[in-house]
């Protein structure tokens, strides 16, 4: 698959129970970090990696994700009349002109693997990316997905983002065993969903960025429900590894687990401290708050 990825899948049909009651009406992906919703950070990363077709896997409660990427006629007119050209650019830049958004429905939350499979009619059999927007990855240089797409193209292989985690946390992640890991990547020889620390094959944890061969769809069709009764992407990847090379890639950048409350707080603090207008007042406020 020495092909450059063009399509990115965003599975956003989960229930987001860790953010209830907010997620009763606001999808988790629409929670903001400073002034942008989580989904926008992931979309920007996919576009930077070269994707021009974005496939959102949603459900009937997530209209606001589609609304967000739609044109806001009334708002645009008002801003235009008021001469607020900077704000106008901000809302128009949500999606550049050359990028198209496609929405597919996952009628029932049957798991991440099932959500990815729902994108098959749009993706076809070409290599594609999967981004989980609640993993916010921040890098001053090229984004994590761009780094992965470059490697996938060069090595003609699927690539999965991994990060070192403390051993006591392996039970919260998919964990990989690798061979010939040098520099930042190595071939995956085994992938286990949420192993206990004493049986985990390593402390390299899979995080929410994948570049996958289109072959995964056929394999996901035959994947039975696994951990938690859900169709797991991890099981589909394990089947893919039996046929094709799948690489683990330790990306450059920092990941915030914005699917958890503390991760969202950490991301908000970091992004505020890096923001050109907010950095100084945020720093001052934090100093004062910590001194109390
Ligand atoms: P999570 O495991 O974070 O689940 O899903 P969740 O429902 O979003 O959140 P919590 O744990 O209840 O708080 C990982 C990713 O897979 C998507 C989610 O939207 C999220 O991006 N997903 C999961 C689906 O799209 N469909 C599913 O059936 C399950």
């Amino acid at each position: 698959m020495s092909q450059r990825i063009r399509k990115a899948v965003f599975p956003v049909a989960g229930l987001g129970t860790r953010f209830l009651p907010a997620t009763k009406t606001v999808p988790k992906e629409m929670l903001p970090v400073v002034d942008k919703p989580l989904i926008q950070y992931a979309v920007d990363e996919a576009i930077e990696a070269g994707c021009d077709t974005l496939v959102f896997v949603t459900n009937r409660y997530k209209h606001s994700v589609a609304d967000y990427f739609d044109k806001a006629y009334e708002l645009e007119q008002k801003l235009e009349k008021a001469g607020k050209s900077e704000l106008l650019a901000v809302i128009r830049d949500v999606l550049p002109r050359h990028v198209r958004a496609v929405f597919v429905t996952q009628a029932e939350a049957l798991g991440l693997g099932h959500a990815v499979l729902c994108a098959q009619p749009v993706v076809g059999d070409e290599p594609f990316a999967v981004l989980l927007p609640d993993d916010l990855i921040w890098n001053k240089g090229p984004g994590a997905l761009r780094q992965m797409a470059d490697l996938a193209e060069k090595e003609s292989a699927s690539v999965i983002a991994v990060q070192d985690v403390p051993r006591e946390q392996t039970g919260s992640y998919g964990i990989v065993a690798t061979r010939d890991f040098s520099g930042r990547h190595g071939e995956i020889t085994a992938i286990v969903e949420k192993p206990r620390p004493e049986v985990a094959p390593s402390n390299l944890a899979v995080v929410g960025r994948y570049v996958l061969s289109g072959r995964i769809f056929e394999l996901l069709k035959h994947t039975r429900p696994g951990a938690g009764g859900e169709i797991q992407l991890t099981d589909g990847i394990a089947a893919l590894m039996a046929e094709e090379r799948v690489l683990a890639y330790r990306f450059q950048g920092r990941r915030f687990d914005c699917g958890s409350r503390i991760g969202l707080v950490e991301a908000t603090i970091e992004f505020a401290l890096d923001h050109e207008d907010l950095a100084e007042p945020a720093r001052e406020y934090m100093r004062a708050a910590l001194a109390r």
Side-chain angles (χ1 to χ4, degrees):
M1 52 169 259
S2 67
Q3 211 182 331
R4 186 75 189 183
I5 48 159
R6 291 264 162 239
K7 295 177 179 165
V9 176
F10 301 84
V12 292
L15 301 176
T17 53
R18 283 171 288 172
F19 280 100
L20 283 170
T23 44
K24 233 180 120 185
T25 55
V26 182
K28 174 169 74 171
E29 301 73 24
M30 295 305 294
L31 296 174
V33 170
V34 183
D35 49 10
K36 284 197 272 180
L38 286 171
I39 190 85
Q40 181 76 59
Y41 291 96
V43 158
D44 290 348
E45 191 184 323
I47 295 171
E48 190 234 358
C51 296
D52 58 13
T53 302
L54 312 181
V55 189
F56 299 92
V57 182
T58 65
N59 63 31
R60 60 191 166 284
Y61 304 109
K62 304 236 175 171
H63 293 297
S64 57
V65 177
D67 292 346
Y68 177 77
F69 289 106
D70 205 353
K71 200 170 161 67
Y73 286 105
E74 246 185 81
L75 184 59
E76 287 196 17
Q77 270 179 357
K78 277 196 178 151
L79 292 174
E80 209 157 8
K81 262 194 189 155
K84 298 198 168 168
S85 51
E86 269 182 36
L87 279 180
L88 195 59
V90 164
I91 61 162
R92 282 186 176 154
D93 285 353
V94 159
L95 272 191
R97 276 175 191 275
H98 73 282
V99 174
R100 64 178 182 146
V102 182
F103 295 85
V104 298
T105 303
Q106 184 190 26
E108 247 185 293
L110 296 178
L112 178 57
H114 179 258
V116 170
L117 184 54
C118 292
Q120 183 185 25
V122 184
V123 176
D125 58 7
E126 61 188 271
F128 66 103
V130 176
L131 297 95
L132 306 188
D134 46 1
D135 271 337
L136 174 49
I137 303 185
W138 191 31
N139 192 35
K140 296 273 185 192
L145 189 68
R146 167 120 170 241
Q147 300 166 38
M148 294 167 67
D150 289 347
L151 181 67
E153 198 178 349
K154 183 164 158 261
E155 295 282 332
S156 295
S158 296
V159 175
I160 294 175
V162 294
Q163 173 188 345
D164 298 275
V165 295
R167 203 155 248 281
E168 62 274 16
Q169 288 179 15
T170 57
S172 306
Y173 294 90
I175 300 289
V176 297
T178 55
R179 80 167 142 246
D180 302 333
F181 202 104
S182 70
R184 294 200 164 268
H185 61 89
E187 186 175 344
I188 303 180
T189 54
I191 182 165
V192 196
E193 190 60 27
K194 303 188 169 67
R196 281 177 287 114
E198 56 279 20
V199 294
S202 75
N203 65 338
L204 278 179
V206 174
V207 302
R209 298 291 183 276
Y210 311 77
V211 174
L212 296 171
S213 144
R215 173 75 186 136
I216 190 102
F217 292 124
E218 287 312 311
L219 300 168
L220 281 172
K221 277 183 194 164
H222 300 108
T223 303
R224 300 279 121 237
E230 297 192 332
I231 296 177
Q232 299 286 350
L233 183 59
T234 306
D235 293 336
I237 292 169
L240 184 64
M241 279 162 40
E243 299 186 4
E244 299 179 6
R245 254 173 5 122
V246 181
L247 306 178
Y249 176 68
R250 193 192 266 135
F251 55 91
Q252 270 177 295
R254 175 150 177 214
R255 163 186 168 260
F256 297 93
D257 174 12
C258 293
S260 75
R261 291 173 298 178
I262 188 63
L264 189 70
V265 171
E266 287 169 6
T268 304
I269 293 172
E270 283 293 341
F271 279 68
L273 290 175
D274 192 60
H275 192 280
E276 59 171 351
D277 304 331
L278 299 179
E280 212 25 62
R283 199 173 299 273
E284 249 171 58
Y285 179 80
M286 281 177 219
R287 259 195 224 111
L290 289 172
R292 274 204 291 273

